[in-house]
C-alpha cells in the first residue's frame, strides 16, 4: 500500500500539503526559486510592505534548543518586487500550482493599497493577509484587536474578489476562539492560517546572563517545538468553529512527519514549515513527505482525507 499525499485546497490539487511559512526562505527571488524547485507543493512570499524595509537590527533570529526566537521586523524587498516575481513566475510556469502572496501593511490603508494593487494585477494565486506580526516596535498584533479585524475585513471585501486568507496569531482562551471565529465567519475568507509565532517570548543565555536577539531587548516570536501544542489547539479550535468553506492552514512546530500528521488530524488542509525549514533548508520537504507517508502506511491510510480533522475526544 502506498499512501498518497494528494491535497485539495481551494479547488486545486496539490501533490502534498507542504509549503514554507512566510518569512522563511522566501525573501529573495533566489530563495523563492529554490522553494519552487523543492518538493514543497507550493510556496509563499515574504510578507511585504509597500516599500522595501530593512527590518530590525541584527542579531534578530536565533536558533535555540527547542526552536527559534525572532524579531525580524518585516524586512522585505517591497511589494512590487514580489508582485513582479509572482506574475513572471505564473507566466513562466502556467501549469504550476497556485502560489501564495503575503502582505503585512503597517496600517489599514497600507494593506488596502496593496490588496487593491493585487486585485488589479494579473496575479491569480492566493493572497495571505498577515494580521499577526509581533515584531514591529510600536505596532501591536492586529488580530488581537477584534474591532480592527472587522474594520479591515469589511473594507477588504468591498472590492477584493481573489482568494484571500488571514494569518492569525495564537489565541489562548475559548472566549477568544469563539469571538474571532464569529467575526471571521461573516466574511468570504478562503482560509485562516494558524499560527504565527507566539509573540514576545524571551530566551535567555544564562551563561552570559543575556538575551540572545537585539531588537526589543530580546523579546521575540517563538517558533518550533515550543509552539506545537498551541498551534494544534488553534488549528483545532478554528477548524471546529469556522464555516466549512473556510479552510485551515496549520503552521507551528512541524519538524517531523508525526507533527504534520497531528496538524492534519486537527483539521489542517495545508501545512507550513518555518523553523525547521530554516534549520534544514528545502530538503526538509522530502523528509517530511517520506515520514508522513510512512505513518500513513503503518496505519493503513491511503489518503489524507481518511483521517483529516478526525481527532478523537475521550
Ligand atoms: C517578521 O518579519 O518580524 C516576522 C513576520 C511575522 O511574524 O509575521
Amino acid at each position: 500500500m502506498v499512501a498518497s499525499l494528494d491535497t485539495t485546497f481551494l479547488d486545486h490539487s496539490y501533490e502534498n500539503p507542504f509549503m514554507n511559512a512566510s518569512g522563511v526562505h522566501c525573501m529573495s527571488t533566489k530563495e523563492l526559486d529554490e522553494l519552487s524547485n523543492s518538493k514543497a507543493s507550493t510556496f509563499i512570499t515574504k510578507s511585504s510592505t509597500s516599500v522595501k524595509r530593512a527590518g530590525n537590527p541584527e542579531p534578530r533570529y536565533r536558533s535555540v534548543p527547542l526552536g527559534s526566537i525572532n524579531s525580524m521586523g518585516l524586512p522585505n524587498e517591497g511589494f512590487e518586487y514580489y508582485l513582479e516575481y509572482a506574475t513572471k513566475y505564473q507566466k513562466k510556469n502556467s501549469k504550476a500550482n497556485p502560489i501564495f502572496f503575503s502582505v503585512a501593511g503597517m496600517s489599514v490603508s497600507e494593506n488596502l493599497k496593496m490588496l487593491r494593487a493585487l486585485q488589479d494585477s494579473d496575479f491569480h494565486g492566493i493572497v495571505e493577509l498577515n494580521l499577526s506580526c509581533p515584531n514591529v516596535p510600536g505596532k501591536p498584533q492586529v488580530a488581537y484587536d477584534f474591532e480592527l479585524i472587522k474594520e479591515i475585513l469589511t473594507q477588504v471585501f468591498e472590492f477584493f474578489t481573489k482568494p484571500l486568507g488571514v494569518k492569525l496569531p495564537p489565541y489562548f482562551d475559548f472566549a477568544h476562539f469563539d469571538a474571532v471565529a464569529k467575526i471571521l465567519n461573516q466574511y468570504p475568507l478562503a482560509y485562516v492560517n494558524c499560527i504565527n509565532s507566539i509573540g514576545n517570548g524571551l530566551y535567555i543565555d544564562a551563561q552570559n546572563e543575556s538575551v540572545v536577539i537585539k531588537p526589543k531587548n530580546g523579546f521575540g516570536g517563538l517558533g518550533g517545538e515550543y509552539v506545537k501544542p498551541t498551534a494544534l489547539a488553534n488549528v483545532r479550535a478554528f477548524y471546529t468553529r469556522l464555516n466549512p468553506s473556510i479552510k485551515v492552514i496549520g503552521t507551528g512546530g512541524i519538524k517531523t512527519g508525526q507533527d504534520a500528521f497531528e496538524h492534519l488530524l486537527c483539521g489542517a488542509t495545508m501545512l507550513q514549515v518555518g523553523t525547521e525549514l530554516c534549520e534544514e533548508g528545502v530538503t526538509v520537504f522530502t523528509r517530511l513527505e517520506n515520514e508522513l507517508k510512512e505513518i500513513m502506511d503503518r496505519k493503513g491510510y491511503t489518503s489524507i482525507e481518511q483521517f483529516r480533522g478526525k481527532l478523537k475526544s475521550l
Side-chain angles (χ1 to χ4, degrees):
M1 194 158 36
V2 180
S4 155
L5 301 186
D6 285 355
T7 295
T8 301
F9 185 72
L10 309 183
D11 296 331
H12 189 90
S13 282
Y14 295 81
E15 302 77 41
N16 65 69
F18 294 108
M19 61 186 291
N20 66 307
S22 178
V24 182
H25 211 99
C26 57
M27 188 96 79
S28 65
T29 55
K30 177 173 175 287
E31 288 179 329
L32 289 163
D33 281 343
E34 283 166 5
L35 282 171
S36 85
N37 291 324
S38 78
K39 295 283 275 182
S41 66
T42 181
F43 57 92
I44 184 166
T45 56
K46 170 69 185 167
S47 293
S48 62
T49 47
S50 13
V51 291
K52 180 176 168 136
R53 268 176 70 83
N56 292 339
E58 298 194 26
R60 57 193 183 182
Y61 181 99
R62 264 289 290 270
S63 175
V64 290
L66 295 180
S68 61
I69 183 165
N70 90 85
S71 183
M72 301 297 288
L74 291 172
N76 74 91
E77 297 293 334
F79 176 79
E80 288 300 335
Y81 176 94
Y82 299 105
L83 184 57
E84 188 184 328
Y85 178 85
T87 43
K88 272 194 190 148
Y89 174 87
Q90 288 178 329
K91 272 193 200 116
K92 245 193 324 189
N93 304 280
S94 56
K95 296 218 168 69
N97 294 332
I99 59 172
F100 291 62
F101 192 106
S102 174
V103 295
M106 295 288 140
S107 62
V108 177
S109 60
E110 188 181 353
N111 277 321
L112 293 174
K113 186 175 154 202
M114 289 187 283
L115 292 175
R116 277 206 184 88
L118 279 165
Q119 175 70 30
D120 295 342
S121 74
D122 291 335
F123 179 68
H124 51 79
I126 299 157
V127 176
E128 181 165 294
L129 176 59
N130 180 352
L131 299 179
S132 49
C133 177
N135 301 330
V136 180
K139 297 274 179 202
Q141 287 164 88
V142 173
Y144 285 146
D145 178 340
F146 301 169
E147 284 308 308
L148 191 52
I149 301 179
K150 271 195 237 169
E151 184 188 327
I152 295 180
L153 293 182
T154 301
Q155 293 192 53
V156 167
F157 285 113
E158 276 167 13
F159 65 90
F160 201 79
T161 56
K162 295 181 180 179
L164 179 108
V166 285
K167 176 109 175 240
L168 296 176
Y171 298 97
F172 302 94
D173 196 284
F174 272 48
H176 294 167
F177 294 140
D178 290 343
V180 175
K182 191 168 170 202
I183 294 168
L184 299 176
N185 274 334
Q186 292 164 27
Y187 299 95
L189 278 168
Y191 73 91
V192 299
N193 184 349
C194 302
I195 55 171
N196 205 322
S197 58
I198 297 186
N200 297 304
L202 192 58
Y203 187 86
I204 291 173
D205 172 350
Q207 172 112 8
N208 289 313
E209 303 177 14
S210 170
V211 300
V212 298
I213 54 172
K214 188 174 173 69
K216 295 175 72 179
N217 293 323
F219 285 70
L222 300 176
E225 292 177 57
Y226 296 111
V227 314
K228 189 181 77 172
T230 301
L232 294 174
N234 276 261
V235 168
R236 189 67 182 165
F238 284 103
Y239 178 74
T240 51
R241 282 167 176 75
L242 292 175
N243 302 331
S245 58
I246 306 179
K247 303 298 167 209
V248 181
I249 295 185
T251 305
I254 300 180
K255 183 175 179 166
T256 65
Q258 179 170 323
D259 302 321
F261 183 78
E262 292 173 11
H263 269 268
L264 294 166
L265 261 188
C266 287
T269 301
M270 298 294 282
L271 303 173
Q272 294 189 351
V273 185
T275 298
E276 198 55 27
L277 168 59
C278 196
E279 286 296 311
E280 255 178 86
V282 296
T283 53
V284 69
F285 296 110
T286 314
R287 179 177 64 74
L288 288 172
E289 280 161 43
N290 290 337
E291 290 176 5
L292 178 57
K293 275 189 189 159
E294 271 168 33
I295 292 171
M296 289 170 61
D297 280 343
R298 207 167 57 235
K299 287 175 171 279
Y301 291 127
T302 51
S303 81
I304 289 175
E305 283 312 306
Q306 290 165 350
F307 63 92
R308 199 177 63 76
K310 298 191 177 147
L311 180 67
K312 294 177 194 148
S313 293
L314 296 181

